[in-house]
Amino acid sequence: MVRLKLSLLRNGLRQSGGRRAAYIASAVCALLFAVLQFAGLVALRGVGHVESLVVLLVAVLGLGWAVMPLFFPSGDETLDPTRLVMLPLRPEPLVRSLLVASLVGIGPLFTLCLLAGSVIAVADGGAAFAVGVLAVPLALLVCVALARAVAAANVRLLSSRRGRDLAVLSGLLIAVGAQVVNFGAQRLGSSGLAQLDPVADVLGWIPPASAPAAVHATGEGSYAGAAARLALTAGALAVLLALWTRSLTRLMTAPDGSTLPASGPAARDRSSGGLTRLLPAGRTGTVMARGLRYVWRDPKTKAAWVTSLAIGLIVPVFNAWQGTGSVYFACFAAGMLGIMMYNQFGQDTSAFWIVATTISSARDAHAELRGRALALLVITLPYATFVTVLTAAVLGDWERMPEALGLSFALLGAMLATGAWTSARFPYSIPQEGYKNVAPGQTGLAWISVFGGMMAAAVLCAPVIAATIWLNVSADGRQWAWLLLPAGALYGAALTTLGLRLAAPRTAARLPEILTAVSRA
């Protein structure tokens, strides 16, 4: 199995020089970061409450091993045990072989460096170091077995379309995690590591964090506690191996029912149900339904929406939570979702030719653009309102909430207007495979479309921004500031209407060019 994994790695790197360069660059960066982590942990040796930091760090590491197979199922081909189903192998020796093969790679080496540094940071005395020699490989095996057990239990889900959509949540996890780490680092910098003690006391009994906690307990002379924690870690490893073996047995003996035909309620036609009933009749409602269906079903579109929704909420709310924000930061939510109006036709990729056959005049183009804008407003209007109200609630600044909401509506209308125009003037293709958002050779078009449109939207919002500033600096302006809410909403609606009317004839006239641009591989 070790030779098989090495062969897969070697053959994969032989496919292209770009893939080989990317792997080498990522390996160097990961190993450099691992060395820095190891050195930093060793430098913390003797610092007060360092054991709390180490326990929390190892717990987060274990969580990462648990969730990464769900978010990145194609990152390691050997995580898919269905490739071995037809081989004459029994589950028990297969588990042992795969466990050893799993220790080959950048991830296990990074984990080993972090665990070794953690043990050195908390070990005090020869007995503690002796326990650390046992704790490090035990914790490493728990991490690897956890990842394998999760992957084996969900392998059929991960190989399906809905399973691959789980990768969409990785953007949300990274965005939320980055803000949580930033907030936590600021709190620790002002209050010290002692704040982690209550959490570490609990996590110290949860594998794999129980392994470094056992080393610390040994250094303090609590041999019973250390033995209990080591036994708990070993027991967790045994349970994970048993679950992994059970999942492999089921995969090798049970048929895959994912290709069975649907029946009963699952096979019913739902085309007339749900939100579709609430949409207007005619082409506008049809376009709205198609756009909302893309948001729910298309992985690329869903990833963009999830990321925009997460970041649009995190930035204003977390800044308000830290006491460094303003209620006007809520406009960031409208801006993040307003970007979704740009390159509307490129989001359809080569399927746009079907839409193009239904557009024969500026009136048809206007109905198409209006339906796309309304579909976006179904989500963005309540979302922008929610983020603004939540930010005002966190800050306690209810007085400026109406003007901030009016400014958000004006910004959203301006971005819808400029997005419709740039979609017709600067369309570009979005590759469906991989993580690229722009086809090769069209990067300049993408920059002009998105950033040029955003600059134009900022200029269009200048009157509302100027009015907001004037009402805030004027002596008697505060009593009229609430008028910015209806004024911003009406101004945004007027900009959207004007933008759609100006973009419609250009869209109808440039259909061949648009179709060529968005269909480019």
Side-chain angles (χ1 to χ4, degrees):
M1 286 299 168
V2 174
R3 289 197 301 270
L4 174 61
K5 182 162 187 176
L6 293 175
S7 297
L8 288 173
L9 178 60
R10 182 173 58 252
N11 294 335
L13 296 179
R14 287 176 176 174
Q15 291 181 1
S16 65
R19 182 171 182 176
R20 186 163 52 251
Y23 179 83
I24 294 175
S26 61
V28 170
C29 291
L31 293 178
L32 180 60
F33 187 64
V35 171
L36 293 176
Q37 286 269 47
F38 178 81
L41 289 169
V42 172
L44 288 175
R45 178 177 170 81
V47 176
H49 306 283
V50 67
E51 67 279 359
S52 299
L53 176 63
V54 165
V55 168
L56 182 61
L57 187 64
V58 176
V60 173
L61 181 68
L63 179 63
W65 275 94
V67 301
M68 284 303 105
L70 298 177
F71 291 139
F72 304 103
S74 60
D76 186 355
E77 294 178 344
T78 62
L79 282 175
D80 187 359
T82 58
R83 298 172 181 265
L84 308 173
V85 167
M86 300 304 295
L87 298 178
L89 301 172
R90 289 175 296 167
E92 291 80 5
L94 182 59
V95 165
R96 293 194 295 268
S97 302
L98 289 176
L99 181 63
V100 176
S102 300
L103 299 176
V104 178
I106 301 174
L109 182 58
F110 175 86
T111 304
L112 179 62
C113 292
L114 193 146
L115 290 173
S118 300
V119 168
I120 294 176
V122 299
D124 184 14
F129 276 102
V131 172
V133 172
L134 178 62
V136 168
L138 201 56
L140 178 61
L141 290 175
V142 168
C143 291
V144 174
L146 179 60
R148 288 292 190 171
V150 171
N154 298 277
V155 63
R156 285 177 176 164
L157 170 65
L158 298 177
S159 60
S160 65
R161 181 184 66 84
R162 292 190 178 276
R164 287 191 296 270
D165 286 350
L166 284 173
V168 170
L169 298 178
S170 62
L172 177 62
L173 179 68
I174 293 172
V176 174
Q179 290 296 327
V180 170
V181 169
N182 179 41
F183 180 71
Q186 292 183 3
R187 292 291 299 272
L188 289 177
S190 60
S191 304
L193 297 177
Q195 289 196 23
L196 298 178
D197 288 347
V199 179
D201 291 340
V202 177
L203 294 179
W205 291 95
I206 301 177
S210 54
V215 177
H216 174 68
T218 303
E220 290 190 334
S222 178
Y223 299 112
R229 288 178 171 88
L230 280 180
L232 187 62
T233 308
L237 177 60
V239 171
L240 289 172
L241 293 177
L243 293 175
W244 186 8
T245 303
R246 182 178 179 182
S247 297
L248 283 179
T249 303
R250 186 172 64 251
L251 286 171
M252 291 180 169
T253 57
D256 184 4
S258 61
T259 58
L260 295 178
S263 59
R268 290 183 300 179
D269 181 15
R270 297 186 178 94
S271 60
S272 61
L275 185 61
T276 307
R277 297 177 179 176
L278 305 177
L279 300 180
R283 175 165 188 152
T284 299
T286 302
V287 174
M288 291 179 66
R290 186 183 70 223
L292 295 174
R293 192 172 293 116
Y294 279 171
V295 174
W296 181 250
R297 292 184 178 180
D298 181 56
K300 204 82 171 182
T301 305
K302 185 186 296 185
W305 272 95
V306 169
T307 303
S308 298
L309 289 170
I311 297 177
L313 175 65
I314 289 170
V315 170
V317 173
F318 267 75
N319 278 280
W321 189 17
Q322 296 175 25
T324 59
S326 167
V327 68
Y328 297 108
F329 280 19
C331 296
F332 190 80
M336 287 299 300
L337 294 191
I339 295 176
M340 303 302 299
M341 187 63 187
Y342 294 90
N343 195 36
Q344 276 290 308
F345 308 126
Q347 297 176 25
D348 295 350
T349 62
S350 58
F352 178 68
W353 73 269
I354 301 178
V355 178
T357 58
T358 66
I359 299 177
S360 58
S361 64
R363 183 175 182 178
D364 293 336
H366 183 266
E368 177 72 24
L369 290 171
R370 181 177 57 196
R372 292 172 182 255
L374 289 176
L376 194 144
L377 287 173
V378 168
I379 301 175
T380 53
L381 278 180
Y383 175 77
T385 304
F386 169 74
V387 173
T388 305
V389 172
L390 181 60
T391 305
V394 174
L395 290 170
D397 191 2
W398 295 104
E399 183 182 6
R400 287 183 171 80
M401 188 200 70
E403 55 197 84
L405 189 56
L407 190 59
S408 294
F409 289 159
L411 175 62
L412 183 59
M415 297 191 76
L416 290 178
T418 56
W421 191 87
T422 58
S423 294
R425 184 63 184 84
F426 304 108
Y428 58 91
S429 178
I430 301 178
Q432 289 299 292
E433 299 296 332
Y435 296 96
K436 293 183 179 180
N437 291 318
V438 183
Q442 294 185 328
T443 305
L445 281 175
W447 278 85
I448 295 173
S449 175
V450 177
F451 291 98
M454 291 171 63
M455 294 296 295
V459 173
L460 291 175
C461 285
V464 181
I465 297 174
T468 303
I469 296 174
W470 181 79
L471 289 176
N472 277 276
V473 299
S474 175
D476 300 328
R478 289 300 312 156
Q479 59 180 333
W480 304 106
W482 63 272
L483 291 174
L484 287 171
L485 175 56
L490 293 175
Y491 185 73
L495 287 179
T496 302
T497 302
L498 180 61
L500 295 178
R501 290 192 177 277
L502 293 177
R506 182 172 291 271
T507 301
R510 299 189 74 249
L511 272 181
E513 293 87 346
I514 296 174
L515 186 58
T516 301
V518 302
S519 301
R520 181 174 177 177

